[in-house]
Amino acid sequence: MLPYWKICGDSIYYILSYKLFLNNADAMPFTQNFYMANLLGHVFLSVWNENELLGLRFLQVCSDTIMLLGLCLLYKNIMTNKILMLSLLIPVVCFYDRQMEFYYDSLSVTFAVWILYFFVNGFEKGSYRKIAISGFLVGINIFVRTPNLVYLGLGFLLVLFCFFCKKSIRKHLQAFFCGTLVGVFVVIMLMLSLGHFGAYIVGLKSLAGVAESGAESHNMASMILVVLYFLKMTVIYGGALGLFWVLLRFIDVRFKSYSNWLLVSFFGASVLFLFYGVRWIVFLYSVHVLALLCYLYRNRDLKSAFVCLSIIYMIFVIPLGSDMYLETVGYYALYLSTPLVVYVIVNEIRRYNLMSAKLFCLLFFLLFVYRVGDNIQNTVSGKQYEIDNKTIGGIKITKEQFKQYSELNTISQYIDKDKCLAVPSTSDLYIVNYASVSPFVLRVRNWHSADRVYNEMQKAYARNKQLPIVIVEHYSSDAENSELRFVKSYNDSYYLVYKSEAYSVYKPVKGK
């Protein structure tokens, strides 16, 4: 299904980040906050230089495979191989339409799985070396995505469980944080050796600017409100499901003959509520948290508590820093907890008679088929066209996209390869033929306000003393179109060379 995954604005953003971040830090400072992801992507594209988008999707599959291997090691002593394989298959099939090209969020989750494996395994076996490796991976992961700093909160769990298990708090924390410092030191030395440390500091300042802006989706206030909303909904819906489950257990004990139908109604009500009242990701998080707490209740030992609380902590902190919190990275984060959740559900079903188990599995299978069918429909529907292009070759697109991409062939004759290019977004309508052209200012849709983009363009001109070629989208209003505002600011220095229903191309007067 790789060629049929959707192409979105972020797809082109990743390619530009990987190809240009070493050479054009001034134009795209925000990408430096994903330094390690950009470096790995850059190395990969330097080897795979045809059908680049398809190549990055293949690299994403490799990253996911490494993540799944880590999950196998993490859970191999808890459940049988059959349950483990089933539990890994479910999210791969259900969420595959959400996977995109290799990028920082998914790479963060791959790191998180291995961090948790060494963290849990090291604590259980009293291995300070494995705890240090876990910390080392945390240090590296901070440079995959800056908000991954929150992984350092695992140190609090070490203090808590070392206290109850009567283990040395100092030695465990020393191993974990020394490993983290070594990881940070290694990456900083790499940056210094490549001459990138200054650009990384500029990127941190850019990140701070985004967090402070009141008009952008990634500002701190907006992200905090989104986090609080999802946490509130997860608690409300999870509490309702939990109370209903307790009622089910009570009736099962006191009125055995009714438990079959109550089980069916429980699952049926959950499904109906899911489709008509609650976001899909909220439902999933509620079920996962309840299942993990159920596992803790069934086992009631410090080892189980350590595993459960570590997983719960990770699935909620992994999405932090994303503008839509659970709606974006949350799906990937649930890979971490799915095996244990499936294990709990299977064991709970076994507590009922065969009739209940069959009905429950039938309803779950119907939901599974619905979800997979919906994903396939959304992924492949209408995608019958393909463009012979180095960047997006091998990718199936719709008829509308084919027309939009084809217009780039006309626009390309007006683009000078030695000139910077200013475009109104990094959507898939732009730059696919011009990845070798330096972006004047790299803007990610919804990350930056129109005023901020306009100001960044002015700063870029002040630095470079050279006007860029400008592409303007016609669907944007004058107030929102930063590129058109920039052209009007230097009206005497630009002339129109191309215009269609969708775009206009402005070139600077010679010598400007």
Side-chain angles (χ1 to χ4, degrees), residues 14 17-18 21-22 30-45 56 59 63 102-108 111 136-146 148 182-194 196 200:
Y14 302 143
S17 298
Y18 302 152
F21 94 109
L22 293 178
F30 192 77
T31 66
Q32 301 303 315
N33 300 291
F34 317 118
Y35 184 85
M36 290 304 297
N38 289 343
L39 180 61
L40 292 174
H42 178 81
V43 171
F44 179 81
L45 288 182
L56 289 176
L59 182 59
S63 176
F102 174 80
Y103 74 124
Y104 45 85
D105 283 337
S106 60
L107 182 61
S108 294
F111 267 91
F136 176 78
L137 293 177
V138 169
I140 300 292
N141 203 22
I142 291 171
F143 296 94
V144 173
R145 179 173 172 268
T146 304
N148 292 343
V182 171
V184 171
F185 177 78
V186 167
V187 177
I188 290 179
M189 288 297 102
L190 177 63
M191 287 180 177
L192 290 173
S193 66
L194 296 175
H196 300 156
Y200 180 74

Side-chain angles (χ1 to χ4, degrees), residues 42 175 206 230 243 271 293 332 381 384 391 473 477 500:
H42 178 81
S206 174
F230 276 108
L243 289 174
V271 172
L293 294 178
Y332 259 117
S381 179
Q384 305 172 6
T391 301
E473 279 179 331
S477 67
S500 69

Side-chain angles (χ1 to χ4, degrees), residues 444-462:
V444 181
R445 189 186 302 276
N446 296 329
W447 283 20
H448 304 300
S449 65
D451 287 339
R452 179 176 173 83
V453 174
Y454 176 76
N455 292 334
E456 288 297 323
M457 293 182 71
Q458 293 288 8
K459 291 178 182 177
Y461 176 60

Side-chain angles (χ1 to χ4, degrees), residues 68-86:
L68 295 173
L69 176 61
L71 289 172
C72 287
L73 294 176
L74 178 63
Y75 290 112
K76 68 177 183 178
N77 295 325
I78 295 178
M79 61 193 72
T80 64
N81 285 337
K82 289 182 179 180
I83 295 178
L84 181 55
M85 292 302 105
L86 172 65

Side-chain angles (χ1 to χ4, degrees), residues 222-469:
S222 295
M223 288 192 289
I224 290 175
L225 290 176
V226 169
V227 170
L228 293 176
Y229 167 77
F230 276 108
L231 291 179
K232 179 187 72 174
M233 294 304 297
T234 302
V235 170
I236 291 174
Y237 191 52
L241 286 176
L243 289 174
F244 201 63
W245 186 256
V246 170
L247 177 63
L248 170 65
R249 300 297 297 159
F250 174 77
I251 294 179
D252 182 53
V253 174
R254 301 295 296 270
F255 308 101
K256 193 74 176 180
S257 59
Y258 293 100
S259 62
N260 288 341
W261 298 109
L262 189 59
L263 177 63
V264 175
S265 64
F266 168 75
F267 190 78
S270 299
V271 172
L272 289 175
F273 196 30
L274 163 63
F275 287 114
Y276 295 103
V278 175
R279 292 185 178 183
W280 172 250
I281 191 64
V282 174
F283 171 80
L284 289 176
Y285 261 79
S286 300
V287 171
H288 277 234
V289 172
L290 284 175
L292 292 170
L293 294 178
C294 182
Y295 177 79
L296 180 59
Y297 174 76
R298 295 294 184 198
N299 292 275
R300 303 184 193 181
D301 58 78
L302 287 173
K303 175 183 175 181
S304 299
F306 185 71
V307 172
C308 281
L309 292 181
S310 297
I311 293 173
I312 290 174
Y313 176 79
M314 290 298 280
I315 64 175
F316 279 102
V317 302
I318 284 173
L320 287 173
S322 178
D323 59 339
M324 288 304 295
Y325 189 44
L326 302 185
E327 283 282 12
T328 48
V329 194
Y331 289 93
Y332 259 117
L334 290 184
Y335 274 80
L336 198 61
S337 53
T338 295
L340 199 55
V341 171
V342 173
Y343 174 73
V344 170
I345 291 175
V346 170
N347 284 340
E348 288 299 307
I349 288 176
R350 286 172 177 170
R351 294 177 179 273
Y352 293 89
N353 60 44
L354 187 59
M355 179 62 179
S356 294
K358 286 183 177 180
L359 290 172
F360 187 93
C361 290
L362 176 62
L363 285 170
F364 182 82
F365 177 73
L366 292 175
L367 177 62
F368 179 81
V369 170
Y370 172 84
R371 179 66 180 173
V372 173
D374 188 51
N375 287 349
I376 293 176
Q377 176 68 19
N378 292 334
T379 303
V380 305
S381 179
K383 296 179 180 177
Q384 305 172 6
Y385 299 84
E386 185 176 331
I387 287 184
D388 182 16
N389 178 271
K390 177 181 177 181
T391 301
I392 63 170
I395 304 297
K396 300 293 185 180
I397 56 178
T398 63
K399 184 177 181 179
E400 291 73 18
Q401 288 176 321
F402 182 81
K403 291 179 180 179
Q404 292 165 339
Y405 285 132
S406 297
E407 187 170 357
L408 290 173
N409 294 326
T410 303
I411 295 178
S412 62
Q413 61 184 300
Y414 302 102
I415 305 299
D416 300 330
K417 295 301 182 182
D418 60 340
K419 286 277 190 179
C420 290
L421 185 67
V423 295
S425 75
T426 59
S427 72
D428 55 334
L429 307 183
Y430 302 99
I431 318 177
V432 287
N433 286 320
Y434 317 128
S436 61
V437 179
S438 299
F440 191 62
V441 174
L442 184 61
R443 169 193 174 190
V444 181
R445 189 186 302 276
N446 296 329
W447 283 20
H448 304 300
S449 65
D451 287 339
R452 179 176 173 83
V453 174
Y454 176 76
N455 292 334
E456 288 297 323
M457 293 182 71
Q458 293 288 8
K459 291 178 182 177
Y461 176 60
R463 287 194 304 268
N464 303 329
K465 304 300 182 183
Q466 186 181 48
L467 291 171
I469 298 171

